[in-house]
């Protein structure tokens, strides 16, 4: 019996000495009333520039609105060179349109939180994040008719020609060139995806009427481990079936494409697994460590991620071919 107790004591001692930082953050978020969250980006968009959302998290089971941290000081750095300070706008939002990203540069922020926020006060920082170069667009985005001129219609259990059908299936494609070197990643969001009523099609005499109905937006991430370098053709809805386009309807899709660094790609990949991994035997959601930490104790981590990105916008309009 004494030997068993000794073994148990040794096991407990070794367990107590090994602290996994992910478990530390998870425990803090479950048990504390709040944890610092710093999320934002430096972009090359004239109307957006650099922004940071500075918040206090809620306890794990509290779904209420997050409390913004007010009165903080946020400084932006290009490497070790100070670029300037962000201006507080509302409810923990800090912003400056004049600070914009340049590919190949590394950026970080330092955040000073006032003493009124107790244990959350002090200096927090993000580690450096690289602004990756965007891909080169070889040609404008274009739609491809899935199945060429015919498709199988399960409603009639037969092959149907598009010329005889009131709907067609399209997918948007992009012909582009990936920058030289590994480590290029992309965050792609389809948004402002709107069905437009066009009784006579794309070139009809009657002017198309925009409807209030919008298709669901979608965010996808991918990197250059999934393809060879050089010219690429990508199907930009990535997952799910093609878009259904009717004879009296146009679909206009706008894509926002952000470059992401390898560390951010890994962070988003893990977050995707946390959010989308539903099921009876799935691992419970756990807060994920990004690149936020205390400056005076780099073993203490916050939530969120501050990243650098180059942004581009592309769009395509799809209509029935007949």
């Amino acid at each position: 019996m004494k030997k068993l107790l000794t073994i148990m004591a040794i096991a407990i001692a070794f367990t107590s000495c090994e602290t996994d930082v992910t478990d530390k953050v998870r425990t803090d978020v479950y048990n504390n009333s709040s944890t610092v969250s710093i999320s934002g980006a430096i972009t090359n968009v004239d109307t957006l520039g650099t922004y940071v959302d500075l918040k206090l998290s809620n306890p794990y089971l509290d779904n209420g609105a997050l409390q913004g941290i007010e009165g903080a000081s946020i400084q932006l750095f290009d490497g070790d060179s100070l670029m300037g300070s962000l201006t507080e706008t509302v409810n923990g939002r800090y912003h400056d349109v004049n600070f914009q990203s340049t590919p190949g540069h590394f950026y970080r922020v330092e955040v000073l939180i006032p003493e009124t926020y107790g244990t959350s006060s002090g200096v927090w920082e993000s580690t450096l994040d690289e602004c990756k170069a965007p891909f080169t667009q070889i040609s404008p985005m274009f739609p491809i008719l899935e199945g060429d001129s015919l498709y199988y219609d399960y409603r009639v259990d037969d092959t149907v020609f598009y010329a005889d059908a009131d709907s067609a299936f399209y997918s948007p494609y992009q012909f582009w060139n990936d920058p030289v070197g590994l480590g290029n990643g992309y965050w792609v969001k389809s948004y402002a995806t709107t069905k437009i009523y066009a009784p006579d099609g794309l070139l009809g005499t009657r002017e198309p009427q925009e409807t209030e109905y919008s298709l669901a937006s979608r965010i996808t991430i991918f990197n250059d481990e999934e393809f060879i370098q050089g010219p690429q053709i990508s199907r930009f809805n990535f997952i799910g079936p093609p878009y259904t386009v009717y004879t009296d309807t146009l679909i206009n899709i706008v894509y926002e494409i952000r470059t992401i660094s390898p560390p951010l790609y890994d962070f988003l990949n893990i977050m995707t697994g946390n959010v989308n991994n539903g099921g009876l035997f799935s691992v419970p959601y756990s807060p994920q460590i990004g690149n936020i930490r205390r400056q005076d104790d780099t073993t203490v981590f916050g939530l969120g991620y501050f990243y650098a990105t180059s942004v581009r916008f592309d769009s395509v309009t799809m209509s029935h071919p007949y």
Side-chain angles (χ1 to χ4, degrees), residues 73-153:
S73 171
I74 300 182
Q75 292 183 318
L76 175 66
F77 291 82
D78 181 347
D80 292 326
S81 300
L82 176 64
M83 295 179 65
S85 300
L86 304 186
T87 301
E88 183 176 357
T89 55
V90 63
N91 192 30
R93 178 81 170 189
Y94 297 77
H95 189 210
D96 196 307
V97 297
N98 297 312
F99 300 141
Q100 298 181 18
S101 61
T102 301
H105 287 232
F106 293 77
Y107 299 91
R108 64 184 178 90
V109 290
E110 290 185 2
V111 180
L112 174 61
I113 298 178
E115 294 181 357
T116 52
Y117 287 93
T119 57
S120 297
S121 64
V123 180
W124 296 76
E125 65 179 6
S126 67
T127 58
L128 290 169
D129 193 71
E130 181 184 5
C131 178
K132 304 296 290 186
F135 62 73
T136 303
Q137 186 180 19
I138 299 177
S139 66
M141 186 175 288
F142 56 94
I144 290 181
L145 188 63
E146 298 287 349
D148 194 13
S149 60
L150 55 85
Y151 68 98
Y152 188 83
D153 192 334

Side-chain angles (χ1 to χ4, degrees), residues 298-312:
T298 56
T299 65
V300 177
F301 296 89
L303 301 176
Y305 203 106
F306 179 81
Y307 65 99
T309 184
S310 178
V311 186
R312 66 175 301 130

Side-chain angles (χ1 to χ4, degrees), residues 173-190:
Y173 282 77
Q174 176 70 77
F175 189 35
W176 54 285
N177 195 32
D178 183 52
V180 176
L182 294 176
N184 301 304
Y186 304 96
W187 175 99
V188 182
K189 180 181 180 181
S190 60

Side-chain angles (χ1 to χ4, degrees), residues 9 12 20 40 64 92 108 114 130 140 157 214 283 287 291 321:
I12 292 172
D20 183 275
R108 64 184 178 90
E130 181 184 5
D157 193 27
S214 293
V283 177
N291 65 344

